[in-house]
Amino acid sequence: MGSKLCATIGGGLYYTLLPNHEYKPLNLDVMEQRFLIVHPCPRDKIRDINYRLAEENHVRCTMEIHTPPYPPYTALDNTRGYWEYKLPIEVDGCVILVTSVLERFLRVVNLTDAPIRLWGRHPCLVKYPEDKMFEEECHRCVTRPHLDMMYSRAFSVVDMSLQNMQLISRGLLRKTGRKLLHERKWNEGWPMPPNSKEMVSFHSPIKIGKTMNYAHPVDYYEHVPLDFVADEIRMVKIEESEDPSGPIVTRMPHVPIIGIPYMALSYTWGTSDARVEIGVAGQRMYIRKNLERILRALKAIKCSIVWIDAMCINQLDVLEKPAHLPRMAEIYHHAAMVICYVGEPDEDTGMAVEFVDHLQEEVMQFDLERKEWKIGPEDNRIGADQHPRLCAALYRLLMRPYFRRVWILQEVANAVIPVIQCGTQLQVMLERLDHAAAYLQFMLQHGPLLAYRMTKAAPDLGDVSTLELTYIRKLFYFRHLACRGENFTHAEIYAKIGEQSPGFLEALILTRDFQATDGHDKIFSMGNIVKERVEFHSDYSQPIPKTFADFAVALAMKNGSLDVIAAAELLSDYEGFYRESPGWCPDWTTPSRSSCLVRKERIPLRATAVVSSLDGAFVAADNNLTNKASEKAPENTQQPSQRIRQEFFDFEGHVLKCTGVILDQISVVFDDPKLPRGFLSQPPDPKTYYKYHYWLHKIEEFFEANSLTTYEDPLQAAIAMFHGDVPAAWPPRHLNPVNAADRHPFEQFVCDPSRSRHVLQFMGDYARVDAYDIVRMTLHGRTLCVTENGYMVLAPDYVAENDPERPWLLAILATCSVPVLLKENDDGTYRFSGTCFVQGWMEGEVFAETMGVDTPQEFWSAMADSGRLSIV
């Protein structure tokens, strides 16, 4: 008699009127085994988006029983799936309910032209017998020795979990997990679904053959493969106990990513190799001591269900680990709260958190006479004697290693509710810390004596530098982009955030100084931050130089632009990283040695809420060839980036073949001045301030002594260059009265912020303290030079080591927005050696002035037919 079966999955109902399948007992004395014969299907069930169980469109099988020697069969390994999600398959005219992961896999299998014989623990064995006649089968067959025997006799063994993972990544298999009930808004609490306790099972699967003993674990824990079709993730469920110092006991349930409310942990793994043992699913696991302390803290604050990357991802599986990378954003975004564990509290932590609360009041005044800050309203003002100590405490909190780890960028950026946690008691909302960090940076920039007073109040603090605050400011910036400004009130009024912000190159440059235990992660961790998509496979088994070179090629080919190579720096000739990688490949594992010219690397001194996205090139030495060619591309043609790269560049192994022109070479290198003893300056960076004025004096002397007429006014050109601008952005004072302030009467040239690439408007004119910070950024790692043709240049400081027989060559490459530095090799190739700021080239002016062409496009079109430069 037929029965009406109903399988529920993802809110859909699937019906069949076939009877239930009844297993026949096996004669185990003669080693009988069941085999599943999957028959071909006349229709493509993968592409049937409704997955309806019509007669012609479902998995159709038969079951056979054989004794040895078994006929040829394929054994399926790792067939476990999430048992809450079940779908029916037809077996011998009846129905068996199997996990959705197995049903989806069989849909792929029966697209073949001939029947396929399979054996697998599911559904060929009865694992949970309701009838006593199957008890012996369960005890004798659902064992490690029996499974290994069946695998050894198979014609082939297929890892079903791995196959499904690959099919999903290729878009050939879709997931069956539940969808979120509604989209979460930033800073919104977890949307509790009805009957949430009944939605998921807390079963902690373990490997066959392993023993589960929570009181006295014996076996070491091995991760059971995930059901990627059900969108499973592992969770750590921390068991409560009355003894806070007792052993850590946890479970490792597998649940769909949106099945239950959970916390996600963001923390620093630490550098210590010290390991401690904890209990996981009745087995033993060794974790870092740092994580064990965090688990105890989470246990103390009753955080029982938490996702922890070090435990929930099989770190030893080179296939599972990269498969998790694209899921990280979803995991952290769907967490009810992301706990940003910055470490144990110290004597200053409570003071710092209290100061963060004060800085939310937005009542700040600078006492010009006393050169100190007044914080808070009159009835709750922080005294001048307290202020430096509080700033020191906040600065120490913001300097914690947590804020320098590259992985935390995506974890915090995608979190809906991130909370800073210190130990078991102190918590602060991340948005409040963002506000406080911006104020501290502002106070240090505008009150140069504050840094000195902070070190006097806290002698062990060391040197105080606003540069150290760039890490946390960048963290908040990426979160600002991920939220599209929605986490700030009225932010949409001020900030302009591009739909594709941030791009890959922008993100890599902004995060170059961040730390990663594995160098691969400097690129791999960006996947859930950037909006740009690049055809590139994350493979931890590849050497880092090859990974970086392959990525540089993929990004250049995708965008039709060579801007990515402009992030490379000549650290040493063919040593270390560059023994295996070409000179044009950026080494993202090393901090930047000199200022970046190809993308912005500095977060403006503004509240994060009003910072617009920093995407795109800000100079155009090639006259913006890539964008202009894209704008002029006719419809119904190949992608502009593809057409551009075919016309102007290509990669042949480690050799970049590109259209370019060598225009000049460095002739004079100015000395890098040393700061005189006792020199005082108003800005917080005396070294940069002195170098700035010293070079201005020297360049003016040099141009006058050599009667050079390259620029209308060399001083104006140098001032603009030191601010990363062209001369037009710094007109003479009398031509720019709007921005000429009476309190700065000796300024000969005044910035026009509407034309500047970096300097912003401030209180009616321009932000002068901000401008000094931009000078520091621009001059970082660079030295002043003059070329043979009389152009002033900011080149990497290593050009001081010059070989007259092999001069430093200056070139412009098609599709590269900045001038590049080359050295010719014996074989006629050129060694890529970095980038330069050449005043008079940065907007393509050199083409009209020296090339004799009406437009740069005319020049590049003519050059495309000539020979290409070979750059290594």
Side-chain angles (χ1 to χ4, degrees):
M1 181 176 179
S3 61
K4 186 176 183 180
L5 297 179
C6 173
T8 306
I9 178 67
L13 299 178
Y14 305 90
Y15 297 96
T16 177
L17 297 176
L18 298 176
N20 296 323
H21 179 271
E22 295 185 6
Y23 283 92
K24 297 178 181 179
L26 296 175
N27 184 347
L28 299 179
D29 293 334
V30 295
M31 299 180 66
E32 281 188 341
Q33 288 296 316
R34 302 183 190 92
F35 294 89
L36 190 70
I37 315 301
V38 184
H39 296 281
C41 176
R43 292 187 56 185
D44 183 351
K45 290 184 287 297
I46 293 180
R47 301 186 186 281
D48 183 350
I49 60 173
N50 293 315
Y51 287 99
R52 299 196 182 282
L53 299 179
E55 182 179 353
E56 72 279 9
N57 188 27
H58 62 265
V59 177
R60 189 177 289 107
C61 311
T62 55
M63 189 83 78
E64 298 177 349
I65 297 179
H66 293 281
T67 57
Y70 303 127
Y73 66 93
T74 297
L76 300 180
D77 190 15
N78 292 323
T79 58
R80 187 209 69 86
Y82 184 65
W83 277 100
E84 297 289 326
Y85 294 171
K86 297 180 181 179
L87 288 174
I89 63 172
E90 178 187 341
V91 180
D92 294 328
C94 302
V95 164
I96 293 180
L97 283 179
V98 298
T99 58
S100 60
V101 63
L102 179 58
E103 193 269 353
R104 290 293 185 261
F105 178 78
L106 296 178
R107 282 180 176 270
V108 178
V109 170
N110 72 348
L111 290 177
T112 57
D113 296 329
I116 296 178
R117 181 179 289 105
L118 302 175
W119 182 90
R121 183 161 62 101
H122 306 287
C124 295
L125 296 177
V126 179
K127 185 179 179 183
Y128 302 108
E130 297 179 359
D131 194 320
K132 289 188 177 182
M133 72 175 66
F134 294 105
E135 285 185 356
E136 184 180 5
E137 176 182 335
C138 181
H139 293 153
R140 290 175 59 178
C141 295
V142 187
T143 62
R144 186 76 266 162
H146 181 79
L147 297 181
D148 291 341
M149 182 271 292
M150 293 302 294
Y151 294 146
S152 67
R153 296 190 177 198
F155 174 78
S156 63
V157 179
V158 174
D159 186 328
M160 196 181 82
S161 177
L162 174 60
Q163 286 287 323
N164 285 336
M165 188 194 323
Q166 294 173 343
L167 289 169
I168 290 173
S169 67
R170 292 161 53 193
L172 299 178
L173 202 62
R174 73 176 190 177
K175 298 179 181 180
T176 58
R178 292 182 176 90
K179 296 181 178 180
L180 195 64
L181 298 182
H182 73 283
E183 289 297 323
R184 293 182 70 191
K185 296 181 180 179
W186 295 96
N187 296 324
E188 176 190 30
W190 174 265
M192 292 293 292
N195 302 319
S196 60
K197 293 184 179 179
E198 302 176 2
M199 289 183 66
V200 298
S201 167
F202 277 94
H203 173 61
S204 299
I206 63 172
K207 290 272 190 178
I208 296 294
K210 293 284 187 177
T211 302
M212 183 183 293
N213 187 327
Y214 280 92
H216 303 287
V218 177
D219 291 336
Y220 288 101
Y221 180 82
E222 293 182 35
H223 290 81
V224 176
L226 293 166
D227 179 352
F228 285 96
V229 173
D231 214 14
E232 270 189 344
I233 57 175
R234 302 180 187 94
M235 291 288 180
V236 176
K237 188 176 187 299
I238 307 172
E239 298 295 322
E240 297 182 4
S241 69
E242 297 181 358
D243 183 4
S245 61
I248 295 292
V249 179
T250 68
R251 299 178 186 269
M252 189 76 79
H254 289 207
V255 297
I257 194 169
I258 56 172
I260 58 171
Y262 64 92
M263 305 292 187
L265 178 65
S266 174
Y267 75 109
T268 302
W269 282 23
T271 56
S272 173
D273 292 329
R275 304 268 175 169
V276 294
E277 181 183 308
I278 65 169
V280 178
Q283 298 172 12
R284 302 158 69 188
M285 176 186 283
Y286 283 93
I287 62 174
R288 293 176 186 264
K289 180 65 177 176
N290 181 43
L291 179 54
E292 190 258 356
R293 284 195 295 264
I294 296 174
L295 288 175
R296 291 192 181 279
L298 296 178
K299 180 180 175 181
I301 63 175
K302 308 298 182 182
C303 178
S304 61
I305 303 175
V306 60
W307 187 89
I308 305 172
D309 57 355
M311 295 178 65
C312 297
I313 298 175
N314 186 354
Q315 301 293 333
L316 300 178
D317 189 334
V318 296
L319 296 175
E320 179 185 315
K321 190 176 177 181
H324 261 86
L325 294 180
R327 308 179 76 200
M328 299 287 275
E330 190 178 11
I331 290 172
Y332 279 95
H333 186 66
H334 289 321
M337 181 183 293
V338 172
I339 299 175
C340 307
Y341 196 89
V342 300
E344 298 295 310
D346 56 30
E347 61 181 7
D348 286 347
T349 308
M351 193 186 310
V353 173
E354 183 180 347
F355 189 43
V356 168
D357 292 337
H358 273 288
L359 291 176
Q360 309 306 308
E361 298 173 354
E362 300 189 10
V363 179
M364 294 177 56
Q365 293 179 334
F366 186 67
D367 189 329
L368 290 173
E369 182 178 344
R370 298 176 59 88
K371 305 294 182 184
E372 60 188 25
W373 289 94
K374 296 179 180 180
I375 310 293
E378 289 286 348
D379 58 347
N380 189 28
R381 176 161 293 173
I382 295 175
D385 56 331
Q386 298 175 287
H387 181 240
R389 187 71 183 90
L390 291 172
C391 287
L394 177 58
Y395 182 84
R396 197 190 304 276
L397 175 63
L398 299 176
M399 291 304 99
R400 293 197 174 214
Y402 171 84
F403 297 108
R404 298 169 182 244
R405 177 174 163 250
V406 72
W407 273 114
I408 67 107
L409 291 167
Q410 67 154 349
E411 296 164 3
V412 172
N414 290 292
V416 173
I417 304 180
V419 175
I420 300 295
Q421 179 84 31
C422 284
T424 60
Q425 298 178 346
L426 298 170
Q427 287 187 341
V428 59
M429 295 295 293
L430 189 80
E431 312 303 342
R432 297 171 71 84
L433 193 63
D434 175 16
H435 200 75
Y439 270 132
L440 179 59
Q441 188 179 31
F442 181 85
M443 288 187 291
L444 284 169
Q445 288 286 354
H446 288 77
L449 293 179
L450 176 58
Y452 169 76
R453 288 170 176 163
M454 287 168 59
T455 55
K456 292 289 287 183
D460 61 335
L461 193 63
D463 292 336
V464 175
S465 171
T466 57
L467 294 178
E468 296 298 321
L469 296 175
T470 58
Y471 292 94
I472 196 165
R473 293 301 316 280
K474 289 175 181 178
L475 168 65
F476 296 137
Y477 169 74
F478 282 114
R479 174 164 167 75
H480 175 50
L481 296 187
C483 301
R484 321 313 287 172
E486 293 179 12
N487 58 322
F488 295 108
T489 306
H490 305 306
E492 68 277 2
I493 299 175
Y494 307 103
K496 296 180 180 179
I497 300 176
E499 290 295 325
Q500 297 301 314
S501 299
F504 244 118
L505 184 56
E506 287 79 8
L508 286 170
I509 287 171
L510 283 170
T511 61
R512 187 160 190 167
D513 292 350
F514 280 73
Q515 299 167 356
T517 304
D518 187 328
H520 294 91
D521 291 333
K522 295 302 291 286
I523 290 178
F524 296 170
S525 65
M526 295 293 106
N528 292 316
I529 294 178
V530 302
K531 298 297 182 182
E532 183 180 11
R533 291 294 167 253
V534 178
E535 293 185 9
F536 177 75
H537 177 62
S538 301
D539 186 353
Y540 281 95
S541 66
Q542 291 282 3
I544 291 175
K546 177 172 172 50
T547 296
F548 287 4
D550 289 348
F551 176 79
V553 171
L555 188 62
M557 301 296 273
K558 184 260 181 184
N559 292 328
S561 167
L562 290 176
D563 274 358
V564 65
I565 74 171
E569 297 177 310
L570 180 67
L571 300 179
S572 59
D573 281 332
Y574 306 105
E575 293 182 7
F577 176 86
Y578 287 106
R579 286 179 182 171
E580 305 175 49
S581 189
W584 47 258
C585 174
D587 179 5
W588 301 109
T589 63
T590 60
S592 55
R593 179 170 172 173
S594 58
S595 59
C596 182
L597 302 178
V598 72
R599 292 293 188 273
K600 291 186 177 181
E601 58 180 340
R602 171 185 174 275
I603 306 300
L605 298 178
R606 296 288 188 275
T608 307
V610 299
V611 175
S612 298
S613 53
L614 306 176
D615 284 7
F618 55 90
V619 295
D622 69 335
N623 205 249
N624 208 9
L625 178 63
T626 302
N627 289 339
K628 291 186 177 180
S630 300
E631 293 169 1
K632 294 182 179 180
E635 295 183 3
N636 302 321
T637 62
Q638 60 182 327
Q639 290 291 330
S641 60
Q642 180 181 354
R643 182 170 52 80
I644 290 169
R645 69 178 184 245
Q646 288 177 352
E647 186 175 358
F648 295 114
F649 69 87
D650 200 0
F651 295 89
E652 297 179 4
H654 280 192
V655 181
L656 166 61
K657 301 274 191 176
C658 63
T659 301
V661 56
I662 297 173
L663 297 174
D664 211 339
Q665 65 183 46
I666 290 177
S667 176
V668 178
V669 179
F670 289 77
D671 65 304
D672 190 355
K674 303 300 180 184
L675 184 66
R677 182 174 297 180
F679 178 80
L680 297 176
S681 68
Q682 181 67 13
D685 186 356
K687 292 181 180 180
T688 300
Y689 183 79
Y690 180 75
K691 181 188 294 186
Y692 171 75
H693 287 281
Y694 177 86
W695 277 347
L696 286 180
H697 175 68
K698 289 295 182 180
I699 200 72
E700 208 171 14
E701 278 187 348
F702 182 86
F703 270 72
E704 182 178 354
N706 291 276
S707 303
L708 297 177
T709 58
T710 316
Y711 309 100
E712 183 176 341
D713 191 315
L715 182 60
Q716 177 189 16
I719 290 174
M721 181 173 71
F722 293 165
H723 288 86
D725 282 326
V726 296
W730 289 80
R733 183 182 184 86
H734 68 278
L735 296 179
N736 188 17
V738 174
N739 298 295
D742 292 338
R743 62 184 181 276
H744 299 284
F746 300 109
E747 289 181 334
Q748 190 174 349
F749 299 95
V750 179
C751 179
D752 179 354
S754 66
R755 304 187 68 175
S756 174
R757 299 187 180 96
H758 304 284
V759 181
L760 301 177
Q761 193 168 13
F762 181 73
M763 297 181 65
D765 48 81
Y766 75 94
R768 284 165 175 81
V769 173
D770 208 13
Y772 277 123
D773 191 56
I774 291 164
V775 171
R776 176 202 55 77
M777 174 197 71
T778 305
L779 298 186
H780 168 63
R782 296 194 175 271
T783 192
L784 178 62
C785 309
V786 175
T787 72
E788 279 193 346
N789 295 327
Y791 288 97
M792 60 180 68
V793 177
L794 283 177
D797 55 14
Y798 46 75
V799 300
E801 302 173 5
N802 194 22
D803 181 358
E805 297 183 1
R806 294 179 184 272
W808 296 104
L809 306 176
L810 295 170
I812 296 179
L813 309 180
T815 76
C816 185
S817 61
V818 294
V820 301
L821 193 66
L822 303 175
K823 267 209 172 185
E824 189 171 8
N825 296 320
D826 292 334
D827 59 1
T829 62
Y830 294 91
R831 172 73 168 171
F832 187 87
S833 303
T835 60
C836 294
F837 191 112
V838 185
Q839 188 66 289
W841 291 15
M842 306 310 287
E843 292 186 346
E845 312 97 309
V846 68
F847 292 100
E849 294 173 3
T850 64
M851 296 299 176
V853 293
D854 294 332
T855 64
Q857 283 71 29
E858 179 184 340
F859 170 78
W860 288 124
S861 298
M863 285 291 294
D865 298 328
S866 62
R868 294 184 174 185
L869 300 176
S870 295
I871 300 176
V872 294

